[in-house]
Amino acid sequence: MSMGERILILGGGVIGLASAFELGKRGHQVTVIEKNKCGGQASGAAAGMLAPFSEIGEDPDDFFQLCLASLRLYPTWQKEVKSLSKCEFEYTNSGSLHAVYHEADLLALETRQAWQREWGAETEVLSANQLHQFEPELSTDIIAAMHYPEESHVFAPDYVKALEQACRNLGVLIEDELEEVAIIEWKDEIKLEAKYGKTFTGQRLIVSSGAWSHELEEIFSIRIPVYPIRGQICAYDNLHGRVKHIVYTSQGYLVPKGNGTLVNGASEDIAGFATDVTEKGIMRLTNWNYQIFPFLKQRIPFHKWAGLRPATQDGYPLIGKLEEAPHIIFATGHYRNGILLSPVTAVSVANLVDGMANHVPLHLFKPERFT
Ligand SMILES: Cc1cc2nc3c(=O)[nH]c(=O)nc-3n(C[C@H](O)[C@H](O)[C@H](O)COP(=O)(O)OP(=O)(O)OC[C@H]3O[C@@H](n4cnc5c(N)ncnc54)[C@H](O)[C@@H]3O)c2cc1C
């Protein structure tokens, strides 16, 4: 194992910070390079669901495996982040209910259940009557739901802050608010230059610049089809204990947080790099959510925000070394599941650095596959 490499990480979102955390633990000299504030983009905006079964209904492919592996890393991972940061953040194994409204959707639920059970998911299809005991205020329009007891959630902004603090405590250097950062050299040594001539050098580069990764196409001469999909999201307050599970539907989801808020996400639209909230975007959520919980009809969200998911052309992230330059490692394009995927991505990246085998196959995520 090569120890103590000088590693630069481009982008201080959840993926960059989680990778820095894992590499820092393994004794590498890590610097996180962030043009704004760490966690200030997608990672700080996320609902924090850890929900591979709800998110992936079609196919048990390697992407599903990656998501599931990450969910199962979380119990230990979050404890480590808490103990090394000395910061608290919410991690709750609430379980989730994947709700359906029509008889016709039952078959799809059962198909999903059949293959997900092969992966050890303890799932159960609950009838409307049974559901009433699980979640008494749920709409009676819901005819059934799949219960996923393993699905969980974290309070994403606090998790990201804790990751940053854990990195600092491990001796990781955090260079933030750099405004602009360019890659000057990468074929051999890595050299980055920030505004006002500040430079950083290293032996390795981890690319974790989220929705901005496309900007690096020219410098690396490969196609990087990562683009921003805006997610608008809102939250209700003062709902302590009223909702117990994550409730997931085809039109949106609700996540009950320990602080009494209920997070309602999220729209998907294309708006370049704009992170503002539109009336239309939020209405899409609020016009639907009383069909999940009728009491929400009388409520007004107390907080609305938006973030940019790093989407990719084929829906899979880019995780792996560049073939021509194996000291460059991509870890980007996590789209809807970057919070969930942060532990497994960090461990995979660190294993690539240390020349160790990865348990989850990464072929599907090769960064050069679009070129
Ligand atoms: C509304 C919403 C809800 C979501 N809900 C969930 C959820 O419930 N569960 C889940 O798992 N995921 C969820 N996601 C997705 C998740 O937030 C993302 O997949 C994840 O945050 C991506 O992390 P990242 O580190 O790649 O990107 P980011 O957090 O965007 O970080 C990238 C960072 O790179 C920096 N950067 C870019 N270019 C440069 C450069 N040249 N130099 C220096 N720095 C640079 C940026 O400033 C930014 O800070 C949600 C996303 C949104 C928007």
Side-chain angles (χ1 to χ4, degrees):
M1 193 153 60
S2 64
M3 292 302 278
E5 279 192 46
R6 286 181 300 120
I7 302 172
L8 302 179
I9 299 191
L10 192 69
V14 75
I15 298 300
L17 291 171
S19 303
F21 173 69
E22 184 65 24
L23 288 163
K25 274 195 308 177
R26 297 192 192 186
H28 294 287
Q29 299 170 50
V30 184
T31 307
V32 175
I33 313 276
E34 166 57 53
K35 63 179 175 181
N36 298 123
K37 284 198 168 79
C38 288
Q41 294 292 348
S43 303
M49 283 186 297
L50 313 175
F53 302 112
S54 295
E55 282 281 321
I56 304 150
E58 297 80 46
D59 266 319
D61 62 4
D62 288 350
F63 180 62
F64 171 74
Q65 265 210 61
L66 193 74
C67 290
L68 185 57
S70 212
L71 176 70
R72 290 176 179 167
L73 286 175
Y74 247 100
T76 310
W77 173 266
Q78 57 89 26
K79 254 188 232 156
E80 259 182 334
V81 176
K82 284 173 183 164
S83 90
L84 285 167
S85 65
K86 310 235 174 343
C87 295
E88 271 306 310
F89 57 89
E90 183 187 7
Y91 163 75
T92 301
N93 178 217
S94 58
S96 70
L97 298 170
H98 189 106
V100 296
Y101 292 79
H102 306 286
E103 290 289 336
D105 297 325
L106 266 176
L107 185 63
L109 269 196
E110 281 159 9
T111 308
R112 202 182 239 273
Q113 182 181 38
W115 72 258
Q116 290 180 340
R117 275 196 169 160
E118 286 173 26
W119 291 90
E122 328 155 25
T123 64
E124 198 186 350
V125 178
L126 302 173
S127 66
N129 278 340
Q130 291 169 303
L131 267 177
H132 191 72
Q133 290 163 16
F134 270 73
E135 213 45 87
E137 298 198 63
L138 211 54
S139 165
T140 50
D141 291 345
I142 295 172
I143 62 149
M146 185 103 81
H147 179 218
Y148 292 119
E150 275 188 87
E151 292 195 331
S152 303
H153 58 93
V154 291
F155 196 88
D158 291 350
Y159 165 48
V160 177
K161 270 184 212 145
L163 265 179
E164 182 181 344
Q165 190 56 49
C167 283
R168 289 184 193 277
N169 295 352
L170 284 166
V172 170
L173 295 177
I174 309 273
E175 296 277 355
D176 57 1
E177 301 193 62
L178 295 169
E179 294 178 43
E180 280 168 33
V181 182
I183 300 172
I184 306 296
E185 285 169 33
W186 60 273
K187 293 207 163 139
D188 215 353
E189 269 259 319
I190 314 290
K191 187 172 173 195
L192 305 184
E193 191 174 283
K195 220 174 169 180
Y196 315 117
K198 197 166 183 187
T199 61
F200 307 95
T201 59
Q203 296 158 284
R204 247 183 220 278
L205 177 68
I206 316 294
V207 175
S208 51
S209 47
W212 293 264
S213 305
H214 176 76
E215 291 171 3
L216 306 175
E217 271 197 333
E218 218 172 302
I219 183 98
F220 291 123
S221 301
I222 58 167
R223 282 198 62 225
I224 309 174
V226 179
Y227 52 93
I229 299 283
R230 181 169 60 181
Q232 298 187 48
I233 179 164
C234 64
Y236 299 85
D237 60 359
N238 292 317
L239 288 165
H240 288 277
R242 216 155 154 186
V243 176
K244 290 165 192 71
H245 301 80
I246 297 170
V247 184
Y248 198 98
T249 74
S250 63
Q251 305 299 310
Y253 55 76
L254 292 161
V255 189
K257 297 294 180 184
N259 65 2
T261 64
L262 183 64
V263 174
N264 181 194
S267 72
E268 289 189 5
D269 67 357
I270 296 175
F273 288 91
T275 53
D276 41 336
V277 168
T278 65
E279 200 180 332
K280 202 175 142 206
I282 296 298
M283 289 249 295
R284 200 175 296 165
L285 303 170
T286 55
N287 283 345
W288 171 261
N289 64 29
Y290 65 86
Q291 304 198 47
I292 306 177
F293 287 109
F295 70 78
L296 288 174
K297 201 155 195 172
Q298 278 86 48
R299 296 277 189 144
I300 296 167
F302 85 111
H303 185 205
K304 306 166 195 173
W305 67 99
L308 304 170
R309 303 182 190 87
T312 63
Q313 191 173 300
D314 60 6
Y316 299 127
L318 283 69
I319 305 172
K321 293 178 173 178
L322 288 189
E323 245 158 63
E324 303 286 303
H327 57 296
I328 312 281
I329 297 175
F330 273 67
T332 187
H334 290 73
Y335 191 38
R336 295 173 55 94
N337 289 295
I339 304 294
L340 167 63
L341 287 168
S342 54
V344 82
T345 303
V347 170
S348 301
V349 163
N351 285 345
L352 288 171
V353 168
D354 290 338
M356 288 162 65
N358 271 308
H359 300 296
V360 182
L362 298 177
H363 314 284
L364 197 58
F365 315 123
K366 277 193 174 154
E368 282 135 327
R369 67 184 180 275
F370 306 101
T371 307

